Amino acid sequence: MATTTSVEPRSSAVPGSRPRASAPVRFGRWCKELGWRHLVGVVTIVFCVLPLLYVLSASLNPSGTLTGSNDLFSTISGANYGALWSKGFGDWARNSIIVAVVTSIGTVLMGAAAAYAFSRYRFRGRRGTLTGLLLVQMFPQLLAVVAIFLLLINLKDVFPLLSTNSLPGLIAVYLGGALGVNTFLLYGFFNTVPRELDEAARIDGATHAQIFWTIIMPLVTPILVVVGLLSFISTYGEFIIAKTVLTSSSKWTLAIGLYTWASDERNAPWGLFAAGAVLAAIPIVLLTLFLQKYIVSGLVSGAVKG
Amino acid sequence: MSDPQLTTVEPPRTDDAGDGTAHGTGRTRNPDENAHARRFSPGWIVKLVLVGLVDALGVYGILAASGVQAWWIVVFLVFALALVNWAYFSRRAVPAKYLVPGLIFLLVYQLFVMLYTGYIAFTNYGDGHNSTKSDAISAIQLGNQVRVEGSPAYPVTVVLQGNDLGFAVVQDGKAVVGTADEPLAPAQGATVAGQQVTAVPGYQVLSFADIAQRSQEVTALAVPVSEDAADGTLRTQNGTIAYVFAPVLEYDAKTDTFTNTQTGVTYTASDQGYFVSSSGDKLEPGWRVGVGFSNFTEMFRNSDLSGIFAQVIVWTFAFAFLSVAITFFLGLFLAIVFNDPRVRGRKVYRALLILPYAFPGFVAALVWRGMLNPRFGFVNEVLLGGAQIDWFGDPWLAKFSVLLVNTWLGFPYMFIICTGALQSIPGDVTESARMDGAGPLRVFRAITLPLLMVSVAPLLIASFAFNFNNFTLIYMLNNGGPQFVGAPVPVGHTDILISFVYSIAFGTGGHDYGLAAAVSILIFLVVGLISWLGFRQTRTLEEL
Amino acid sequence: MRRSILTVLAVGATTFALAACSSGSSGSGETATSAPTSAAPKLTGSLTVWVDETRIDVFKQLGAEYQQKTGVTLNVVQKPSGDIRADFVKQEPTGQGPDIIVTAHDAIGNLVTNGTIQPVQLGDKTKDFSQVSISAFTYDGQVWGVPYAIENIALVRNNKLATSTPDTLDKLIEQGKSLKTKYSLVIQQGANGDPYHLYPLQTSFGAPVFKQNSDGSYSDEIGMSGDAGHKFAAYLQKLGKDKVLDTAIDSQKATDAFTKGQTPYIITGPWNVDAFKKANVDFSVLPVPSAGGQDAQPFSGVQGAFISAKTQNAIVANDFVTNFLASEPVQTELYTAGQRMPALTAAADKVTDPITKGFSDAAGNSPMPSIPAMDSVWQYWGTTEAQIISGQAKDPSAAWDTMIKNIQAAIDKSKG
C-alpha cells in the first residue's frame, strides 16, 4: 500500500477550498466564517473529553473508582500505571496491535478488491451478492460465540493455527467480516471515480490489475484509510469473540484484559482499569493524527478534474 | 489460510490488449503475438506461487480432515479449492478474482454462524439439554454410582493380566483380585504389605504413572464384588482408593431405559430429550434433540407479555432510528465544520473528536454509568451543582440518558465516515453552485447531501441494524432499567429487543439457547426486511 | 504445460506445508510435557484448570508445587468470573473444556443439570471438612467437588467511630445517626438491587429464600412468601425512606464511604478487607444484628474444585482434588493467599486471625442455594427489592407478592 500511494503525485487542491485571502481577514468576518467553527469545536470537545478526563483522573488515583471520584485530579500518582505491567498489560497491548493491524490491512485489501469488482464489472449475481452482504450484517450475533467456538475447535485437528487460543485464528474470524459494511463505503466511493479513467488506461493497454493498483487505489486513498481506521478501532475494542477464542491470558487483547478486570464483581481494580483504558486509547489517537493527512488529501477532486 | 494478498497480484489478461510488464505505457501489441511470453511475467509467477501455496494448504487440509473424518471440512475445502483455482486461472472470471478471498472468509465465519444459529433454533439446546445423548447417559451413570453405605475404603492395586485390567485389594485380611468379568476371588500367593497388595502371581502391578496413562480405562473399570450383581462393584476414581458402589440407576442399552435398582421404576428415553418415568419424573441431564417450531411458538404463548412486548418493540425502533439520526447529523455537521481548510488546528480537533471512539464501548458504558449515578455521579454532583436527577430512574429520563451516551459513543464514527466521504465530492461542483447564487444551506441540501448519501446510505442502514442489536450498551450501561414494576419477566423501559431476549433466554432459570436462537432469527427477518425496504427507498439498489 | 507447473509447485508446497505443519503442531499441542526435574517425578502430562481472576495467582503457585510433587503440569487458565460457569457449560460437551473448574458451590445445580461434572468420592475424608462446606457441596445425595474455603458477609465496624454495637439493627442505625457521620450504615445496592447483601436482614425476619430440609439442603419450595416476607418488604421500604438503603450506593461507593470514615458500619465480605487495611481503618468484624427478631444469617459461599465429566485425566484430576487440594498444607496455603476460612477443619483450627474468625462467627447455616431453581430467583428478587427501596413500588407487600408469583412461574417453566 505504501508504495502505491507514493507513486501518484498529489494535487494540492482541497475540496471546497477557496483562494486564500491575501489581505488580513478582519475579525468580524473571521468570526462569521471561522470563529463559530472553533466555538463548535470547543463545545463538542468538552462533551467528548469530560468523561475521558474523569477516567484519566481515576487512573491517577491509587484508590480510584468510577462512581463518585469527583474531585478531579485530587491525587496524582503513577501507581496504577506502574502496576499495569506486572499484570500482563504489555503482552495484551502487543497482541491487540498485531490483531488490529493485520485485520485492518486484510479488511482494506479484501474490501477494496470486492468494491472494485462491484463498481467496475457487471456480472451475474452482482446485485444479489451486494444485497446479501448488507443483510448478513443484520444478523443478531447473540449466539455467534457458540458457533464460532464450535467451528474453531473443529479446525483444531486440521489447521491448528486457526484454532482457539491463537492470534491468527482470531484474525481469521475478524476477516470473516471484511466484506460487509466497509464494502459499501468503498463501493460508493469507487463509483465516484470516473470510468473514463479506466477506459483511457485500458485503451493504453493496462490490465485490470494495473488499473486497480495504479489508477483506482491511489485515487481512493482517503476511503481506504477511513476503512482501515474503522476496522482497526472496532477490532481493537472487540472482546466478546476475542475472549472466547483466546483462552490463555498471555494471548489476550487489551479489551479482554480490561473486561476481565471490570467483571470482577467484588474487587474490580477500577484504578488499574482506568489506567489501562487511558493507555489503550493512545494508539488510536496517534493513528488518527497520523492518518489524517491521507483522509483529507483532496486527491480525488484534483484527479477528477485532470 | 488463504492470503488476502492474493487479489493483489494479477496476471495480464490475454483477452485484453495489454502488456504484462509495462505499466500502462500506451504501447499496444497484438494480444496473440506475445500471449506466451506474458505467462512468465513477474505478476504471473507471484500469482502461481500464491495460488500454489493456497492449494498446498488446501490439500494438506483435505488430508488432515480426512484423517480425523471431518467430512464437512473436506467438502468445504474441495469446494473452496475448486473456486480459487477456477477464479484465478480462468480468463473470464475477472470479478471473481477480486471477490473470492473475502467471500471465502465470509462463508466460513459469518454464514456458518447464521446456519448454526438456525440449527439451534430448532433444538432444545440449553440448560438440561446441553450435549449429546451418549454424554447424558454417561453423566447419569457417573452421577448415580453410590457408595454402599458402611462399606470400607480399600487401598487398591491396579493389575494387568494380558489386556484385562483388574483390581487387587485386601478384603477381611485376605488378598483378593478380580477383573471386569471375573468377580473378586482370593489371590493365591499374593504379597501384602499393610492394607495393600503389592504383587499377585500372574498379574502385572501397574505403577501410578501407568494408571494415570490408562485413566479412562481404570475409572471405567467395575469389578464385581461377588457373583451376585446386587452386591455391587469395586471402582476407583483416583487409582489409589477403591470403594464398593451399587448403582442406583442401571442403563439397558437394548431397551434404551434406565431402571432404578431400589424402586424398580423404569425411565424411558423420550423424544423430548430426557429419560422419563411413567409418572413423569425426569432424570438429569437430558440431551439435545430437535423440537421443531416450538421455540418459535414459545414466544407468542405468554400473553401477559404482549403489552410490554409492544413497548419494547416501539422503543427498539425509536432507539435505533434516533441513534442513527442524531449521530449522523452531529457527525456530518462537525465534518463539514472542520472540512474548511482555513480552520486552524483541524488536526487536533479531529483527533480529539475521535477520542470517544478510541475507548472500547463497554468501557465507555461503565464510565457513564458511574458519572450518571444519581447521588454521587460527576454529572449531578459537579456539573449540575448537587442536583438529584435520577438519570436512570425515570423511564423517559433513562431513555434520554441512553441516547445521550450512545450519541457520545457513536458520533465519532459518523464524523470519520463523513469526513472521508466528503472528499469524494468534487469541489468544483459545490463551487459552481455557489457561484450560481445558491446559499450554503441550499448547496448542502441540493448537492452535498445527495452525493454523500451515495456512499453513506448503506452505512446508515448498517448502523441502524447495529443499534437495533446494540446489546453491549444497554447491558453495561443500565441493564435496561428502570424495570417495569411487576412485569412477569425482568424487563425494563430501556430494554431493546436483543437485551429483552437475553433476559428471557438467559436471565430467568438458566440458559435457553434454542429460544435465543429462534428469537435471533425472527429479529433478523424483521430487521432484514426493514433494511431491505429502506435500501430500496434510498434508491441505492436501483443504482447498483 | 501450465498445469504441470502448477502440479509441481503444488506438490512441492504440500510437502513443505505438511512438514511445517506437523512440526508446528507437535510443538504447540495441548500435551505440554513437563521438563524433567531432578526430583524424577512419577507422572507426565497436564491438567487444565479454569480459575477466575481472584484465584489465578495462588493456583499458579499451587500448579508449580503440584508439578514438583508429581510431574504433572497444571495448565491454569484464567476466565473472567462473570463468564467462567457459562463458558464451562458451553465448552465441556465439546471435549475442549478443562479437567477441573474452580468456582463457588452455588454453581453445582446448574453444572449437574447439564451433566458437566462428576461426583467426587471423599470417602473417610468427608468428616475432615466443616459441616457447612460438605452440605453445600452435596447435591442429590452426592458430593460433587472438594471445598477449600468458606466466605460470607458480616457487619464491619470502624472502631474509631464506635466501640460497642447494639444487638438490633434498629438500635444500630440510631447509634449510627447519633454519631453524625455522613451515613449510619451502608449496604451496597445498585440500580438492580443486591439481595445477597440484604439476605442477613431478610433471614432475621424468618423469610429464607427456599425452605431448608432437615439436612440443611434446600427444597425448591419458596420460603420467603407470606407474612414474614411482607414484614421484610415493609422494613426495606422504611430503610429506603430513611435513606439508610439507597440504590445509588453501589459497591464502589460503599467501600469508599467506609474507608473514608463516612460511616461507622458496613455490611460486606472479606474481599474488602485488603482495601480497609490499606486505608488504615481500625475495624472489627461482627455478626449482623437482627432486624426482625430472629438470627441474621448471611449466605455462605463455599469455594472448591470440580472435575469435568468428560476429563481424559480422571485419575490425575481426582488425585489433584482429593489428595492434593484436600491436604492441610495446601488448604493453609490457600487461606494465606485468600484470607477465607479453610473448609478443612484441621486448617481452619489453625486460623488465629480475628478478622477471618469474625467473618466465620457471623456465618449461619445458610449456604447459598445451589438448586437450579435459584437461577430463576435472582433477577426478580433484586429488581423488586430495588423498586421497594427506591419507592417505585409504593405497596411493598403487593410488590413482594408479585415477585413470588413471578419466581414461582419461572421455576415451573424451567422445570418444563
Side-chain angles (χ1 to χ4, degrees):
Chain A
M1 237 176 80
T3 52
T4 54
T5 49
S6 62
V7 172
E8 210 52 29
R10 289 178 178 284
S11 153
S12 61
V14 176
S17 72
R18 295 172 218 176
R20 277 165 211 250
S22 49
V25 185
R26 275 177 296 124
F27 183 71
R29 207 181 135 205
W30 181 88
C31 281
K32 192 166 165 246
E33 296 204 344
L34 296 178
W36 67 274
R37 293 174 198 262
H38 288 285
L39 189 67
V40 167
V42 169
V43 169
T44 325
I45 283 169
V46 168
F47 174 59
C48 279
V49 167
L50 251 184
L52 307 176
L53 282 182
Y54 184 78
V55 179
L56 185 65
S57 156
S59 75
L60 293 169
N61 185 344
S63 59
T65 60
L66 293 185
T67 308
S69 298
N70 292 341
D71 304 333
L72 293 188
F73 305 106
S74 56
T75 323
I76 305 257
S77 142
N80 288 324
Y81 288 91
L84 280 178
W85 308 103
S86 63
K87 308 270 183 183
F89 192 82
D91 284 344
W92 302 344
R94 193 197 60 221
N95 295 338
S96 278
I97 300 277
I98 293 174
V99 170
V101 165
V102 177
T103 305
S104 55
I105 291 176
T107 301
V108 166
L109 289 177
M110 293 201 280
Y116 177 61
F118 285 127
S119 167
R120 290 306 196 255
Y121 292 93
R122 294 293 176 268
F123 50 92
R124 213 148 40 98
R126 174 174 164 278
R127 251 180 89 146
T129 318
L130 262 176
T131 320
L133 283 186
L134 186 85
L135 290 183
V136 167
Q137 313 301 311
M138 312 292 158
F139 196 80
Q141 299 286 312
L142 197 62
L143 293 174
V145 291
V146 181
I148 285 173
F149 180 75
L150 190 84
L151 179 66
L152 294 195
I153 56 163
N154 276 308
L155 286 175
K156 188 173 198 150
D157 295 326
V158 184
F159 296 114
L161 206 59
L162 294 186
S163 187
T164 50
N165 205 20
S166 127
L167 294 184
L170 181 64
I171 291 169
V173 174
Y174 287 151
L175 286 181
L179 294 197
V181 62
N182 295 323
T183 315
F184 282 90
L185 190 54
L186 291 159
Y187 169 73
F189 208 94
F190 275 51
N191 280 345
T192 65
V193 178
R195 290 168 157 272
E196 292 78 19
L197 291 177
D198 313 25
E199 292 304 324
R202 189 157 291 151
I203 290 166
D204 285 353
T207 64
H208 60 85
Q210 288 166 343
I211 294 172
F212 176 66
W213 282 106
T214 61
I215 296 179
I216 307 274
M217 290 293 261
L219 286 179
V220 296
T221 312
I223 213 66
L224 296 183
V225 173
V226 166
V227 167
L229 187 64
L230 292 178
S231 165
F232 186 94
I233 293 174
S234 60
T235 309
Y236 195 76
E238 202 286 330
F239 68 100
I240 293 176
I241 293 173
K243 75 183 160 70
T244 313
V245 175
L246 304 174
T247 49
S248 64
S249 60
S250 64
K251 293 246 170 95
W252 282 357
T253 61
L254 285 173
I256 314 177
L258 291 179
Y259 168 79
T260 308
W261 284 340
S263 78
D264 184 341
E265 279 179 19
R266 288 163 172 179
N267 283 98
W270 293 114
L272 270 185
F273 177 83
V278 169
L279 287 189
I282 289 176
I284 309 264
V285 176
L286 291 181
L287 198 67
T288 318
L289 269 175
F290 171 73
L291 290 179
Q292 269 193 42
K293 64 170 182 265
Y294 298 102
I295 302 181
V296 205
S297 59
L299 208 72
V300 176
S301 58
V304 170
K305 270 184 263 179
Chain B
M1 175 177 152
S2 96
D3 191 321
Q5 292 277 356
L6 208 57
T7 50
T8 68
V9 188
E10 279 305 313
R13 277 165 61 205
T14 41
D15 54 349
D16 270 352
D19 187 314
T21 47
H23 290 266
T25 50
R27 286 175 293 155
T28 44
R29 290 185 205 169
N30 183 343
D32 295 4
E33 199 174 285
N34 46 106
H36 194 74
R38 276 202 304 273
R39 282 196 195 133
F40 300 100
S41 68
W44 165 243
I45 302 285
V46 175
K47 173 174 104 171
L48 198 65
V49 170
L50 285 176
V51 177
L53 272 176
V54 170
D55 284 344
L57 266 179
V59 170
Y60 158 75
I62 290 170
L63 293 176
S66 319
V68 294
Q69 302 186 343
W71 302 120
W72 278 110
I73 299 181
V74 174
V75 169
F76 178 81
L77 284 174
V78 169
F79 163 77
L81 278 189
L83 187 70
V84 167
N85 286 289
W86 167 74
Y88 290 102
F89 292 110
S90 159
R91 290 170 194 181
R92 283 189 291 178
V94 179
K97 295 182 209 295
Y98 291 89
L99 285 171
V100 159
L103 282 182
I104 285 181
F105 277 97
L106 183 90
L107 275 181
V108 176
Y109 292 102
Q110 301 261 44
L111 286 188
F112 178 80
V113 170
M114 296 173 69
L115 291 177
Y116 189 72
T117 305
Y119 155 72
I120 290 177
F122 293 95
T123 69
N124 60 358
Y125 177 32
D127 277 343
H129 302 277
N130 194 44
S131 190
T132 61
K133 187 174 178 182
S134 64
D135 280 355
I137 291 170
S138 62
I140 292 170
Q141 286 172 328
L142 268 177
N144 279 284
Q145 294 293 342
V146 177
R147 180 182 171 191
V148 172
E149 239 171 276
S151 67
Y154 298 101
V156 71
T157 305
V158 183
V159 294
L160 190 66
Q161 185 183 41
N163 286 322
D164 292 338
L165 283 173
F167 291 143
V169 294
V170 178
Q171 195 178 35
D172 304 327
K174 275 179 252 163
V176 289
V177 67
T179 64
D181 305 322
E182 306 267 324
L184 290 181
Q188 304 300 334
T191 322
V192 174
Q195 285 301 305
Q196 182 132 25
V197 178
T198 53
V200 187
Y203 290 85
Q204 179 196 345
V205 173
L206 295 187
S207 71
F208 189 65
D210 294 332
I211 296 171
Q213 283 286 322
R214 294 166 163 264
S215 194
Q216 299 286 75
E217 296 164 68
V218 173
T219 49
L221 179 64
V223 175
V225 173
S226 71
E227 297 286 350
D228 182 2
D231 286 347
T233 54
L234 201 61
R235 286 166 165 266
T236 181
Q237 282 188 331
N238 56 15
T240 48
I241 304 283
Y243 301 99
V244 178
F245 288 95
V248 180
L249 291 165
E250 258 176 0
Y251 180 64
D252 184 352
K254 263 185 231 150
T255 54
D256 201 13
T257 54
F258 271 101
T259 307
N260 187 317
T261 52
Q262 287 160 6
T263 61
V265 176
T266 307
Y267 297 84
T268 320
S270 81
D271 56 4
Q272 299 295 304
Y274 40 73
F275 287 100
V276 63
S277 73
S278 52
S279 62
D281 284 341
K282 293 171 199 159
L283 296 180
E284 285 178 350
W287 60 94
R288 217 189 288 186
V289 291
V291 291
F293 281 91
S294 76
N295 285 321
F296 292 88
T297 51
E298 167 81 26
M299 284 172 283
F300 305 105
R301 203 176 296 155
N302 199 337
S303 54
D304 302 0
L305 272 179
S306 52
I308 291 171
F309 192 66
Q311 284 202 50
V312 170
I313 288 190
V314 169
W315 164 241
T316 308
F317 277 103
F319 168 74
F321 179 78
L322 289 173
S323 294
V324 175
I326 297 171
T327 53
F328 174 64
F329 283 109
L330 184 57
L332 176 61
F333 173 67
L334 291 168
I336 293 174
V337 166
F338 294 110
N339 206 35
D340 189 320
R342 294 169 303 167
V343 179
R344 286 180 165 218
R346 287 192 302 159
K347 271 186 100 164
V348 178
Y349 278 126
R350 283 198 176 116
L352 288 175
L353 286 180
I354 286 168
L355 267 177
Y357 202 48
F359 278 81
F362 75 95
V363 177
L366 290 174
V367 172
W368 276 101
R369 186 172 74 187
M371 287 183 50
L372 291 175
N373 181 297
R375 257 176 87 182
F376 317 104
F378 186 78
V379 173
N380 275 350
E381 199 168 276
V382 179
L383 293 185
L384 302 177
Q388 295 269 329
I389 302 169
D390 196 354
W391 293 99
F392 294 120
D394 174 76
W396 290 104
L397 207 51
K399 287 177 171 149
F400 171 81
S401 308
V402 169
L403 279 174
L404 177 81
V405 175
N406 207 23
T407 302
W408 187 84
L409 276 166
F411 87 86
Y413 171 78
M414 296 296 183
F415 174 69
I416 301 177
I417 285 172
C418 291
T419 302
L422 278 177
Q423 313 310 317
S424 73
I425 297 171
D428 46 352
V429 179
T430 46
E431 192 68 12
S432 59
R434 207 168 278 136
M435 285 184 169
D436 290 346
L441 209 63
R442 194 170 150 72
V443 172
F444 171 75
R445 270 183 40 198
I447 297 170
T448 314
L449 195 59
L451 279 174
L452 203 66
M453 276 298 173
V454 173
S455 51
V456 170
L459 301 194
L460 297 187
I461 293 166
S463 173
F464 176 84
F466 171 80
N467 281 305
F468 202 93
N469 295 321
N470 196 344
F471 174 73
T472 312
L473 173 76
I474 301 288
Y475 185 72
M476 293 274 186
L477 188 61
N478 64 339
N479 204 3
Q483 303 280 317
F484 285 102
V485 176
V489 289
V491 53
H493 288 273
T494 55
D495 259 318
I496 55 175
L497 218 43
I498 198 85
S499 61
F500 180 58
V501 174
Y502 186 88
S503 33
I504 292 180
F506 302 146
T508 61
H511 294 75
D512 190 342
Y513 294 108
L515 182 64
V519 187
S520 296
I521 286 170
L522 284 190
I523 291 180
F524 173 61
L525 293 179
V526 171
V527 191
L529 186 72
I530 291 166
S531 307
W532 186 64
L533 290 176
F535 211 45
R536 290 211 332 192
Q537 200 64 35
T538 60
R539 302 239 175 158
T540 321
L541 272 179
E542 261 75 343
E543 289 168 21
L544 296 180
Chain C
M1 179 187 164
R2 181 193 284 174
R3 182 171 293 158
S4 66
I5 290 179
L6 177 68
T7 321
V8 170
L9 271 177
V11 170
T14 315
T15 342
F16 174 75
L18 279 171
C21 287
S22 56
S23 69
S25 62
S26 68
S28 63
E30 280 285 286
T31 50
T33 43
S34 56
T37 62
S38 55
K42 296 178 284 182
L43 303 174
T44 55
S46 69
L47 279 182
T48 302
V49 185
W50 279 12
V51 300
D52 64 29
E53 61 280 345
T54 56
R55 328 170 217 269
I56 178 78
D57 294 336
V58 66
F59 269 87
K60 281 199 164 146
Q61 192 185 322
L62 291 179
E65 286 164 32
Y66 190 66
Q67 179 172 9
Q68 190 77 55
K69 210 173 144 222
T70 63
V72 174
T73 313
L74 218 56
N75 178 14
V76 185
V77 174
Q78 180 183 347
K79 285 272 164 187
S81 48
D83 300 329
I84 188 166
R85 296 169 183 190
D87 280 2
F88 180 73
V89 170
K90 262 187 254 172
Q91 299 187 10
E92 196 267 354
T94 66
Q96 302 293 319
D99 299 297
I100 292 168
I101 173 175
V102 180
T103 185
H105 79 277
D106 56 305
I108 292 175
N110 184 272
L111 298 181
V112 173
T113 310
N114 284 315
T116 53
I117 54 173
Q118 52 177 292
V120 168
Q121 296 301 330
L122 284 172
D124 302 335
K125 279 190 180 156
T126 312
K127 61 180 190 306
D128 299 343
F129 289 92
S130 66
Q131 178 79 43
V132 66
S133 63
I134 289 298
S135 66
F137 271 57
T138 307
Y139 178 82
D140 258 4
Q142 295 269 43
V143 176
W144 293 87
V146 173
Y148 72 80
I150 308 162
E151 68 179 18
N152 55 271
I153 53 173
L155 182 76
V156 180
R157 179 182 68 198
N158 184 328
N159 292 337
K160 262 207 195 108
L161 297 173
T163 46
S164 69
T165 298
D167 56 358
T168 71
L169 200 72
D170 286 330
K171 284 188 205 153
L172 180 148
I173 292 168
E174 255 172 56
Q175 180 205 27
K177 282 186 175 155
S178 70
L179 294 170
K180 302 286 177 223
T181 45
K182 195 169 174 188
Y183 311 99
S184 47
L185 161 71
V186 295
I187 305 176
Q188 73 173 60
Q189 289 298 303
N192 297 311
D194 191 334
Y196 177 84
H197 281 84
L198 289 177
Y199 197 62
L201 276 58
Q202 183 173 333
T203 44
S204 77
F205 282 88
V209 55
F210 287 111
K211 289 191 174 148
Q212 269 175 301
N213 300 325
S214 53
D215 64 349
S217 67
Y218 286 91
S219 73
D220 56 11
E221 191 184 339
I222 298 174
M224 55 183 170
S225 56
D227 232 22
H230 291 164
K231 277 189 192 147
F232 171 61
Y235 191 69
L236 282 185
Q237 189 185 41
K238 177 175 152 254
L239 293 188
K241 276 186 183 151
D242 287 359
K243 285 285 163 203
V244 174
L245 290 177
D246 186 341
T247 53
I249 298 181
D250 59 9
S251 65
Q252 298 179 39
K253 195 64 211 172
T255 314
D256 193 50
F258 190 77
T259 50
K260 288 197 176 132
Q262 295 169 342
T263 174
Y265 295 108
I266 180 174
I267 292 182
T268 192
W271 44 89
N272 273 328
V273 164
D274 277 349
F276 298 160
K277 281 182 178 163
K278 223 167 113 189
N280 288 320
V281 183
D282 171 19
F283 64 96
S284 311
V285 180
L286 309 156
V288 179
S290 173
Q294 305 185 25
D295 275 353
Q297 298 197 21
F299 278 137
S300 295
V302 185
Q303 327 273 334
F306 306 88
I307 301 175
S308 159
K310 273 209 162 170
T311 175
Q312 304 289 311
N313 307 301
I315 295 278
V316 183
N318 263 291
D319 178 63
F320 178 74
V321 297
T322 58
N323 293 332
F324 185 70
L325 209 57
S327 67
E328 197 247 299
V330 172
Q331 295 248 334
T332 302
E333 194 178 338
L334 281 160
Y335 162 70
T336 317
Q339 297 293 311
R340 308 290 198 273
M341 189 54 95
L344 196 73
T345 27
D349 289 345
K350 289 196 180 160
V351 172
T352 52
D353 176 42
I355 294 169
T356 310
K357 279 176 114 58
F359 277 111
S360 186
D361 291 344
N365 189 24
S366 298
M368 186 124 74
S370 70
I371 51 176
M374 195 62 197
D375 286 346
S376 309
V377 174
W378 288 111
Q379 278 222 31
Y380 298 105
W381 200 14
T383 301
T384 305
E385 289 187 354
Q387 284 171 348
I388 292 172
I389 292 166
S390 68
Q392 272 176 291
K394 308 278 183 249
D395 180 350
S397 297
W400 198 260
D401 287 343
T402 312
M403 174 191 85
I404 301 282
K405 195 184 91 198
N406 287 335
I407 292 174
Q408 191 61 55
I411 293 174
D412 294 344
K413 185 175 154 264
S414 66
K415 275 189 188 165

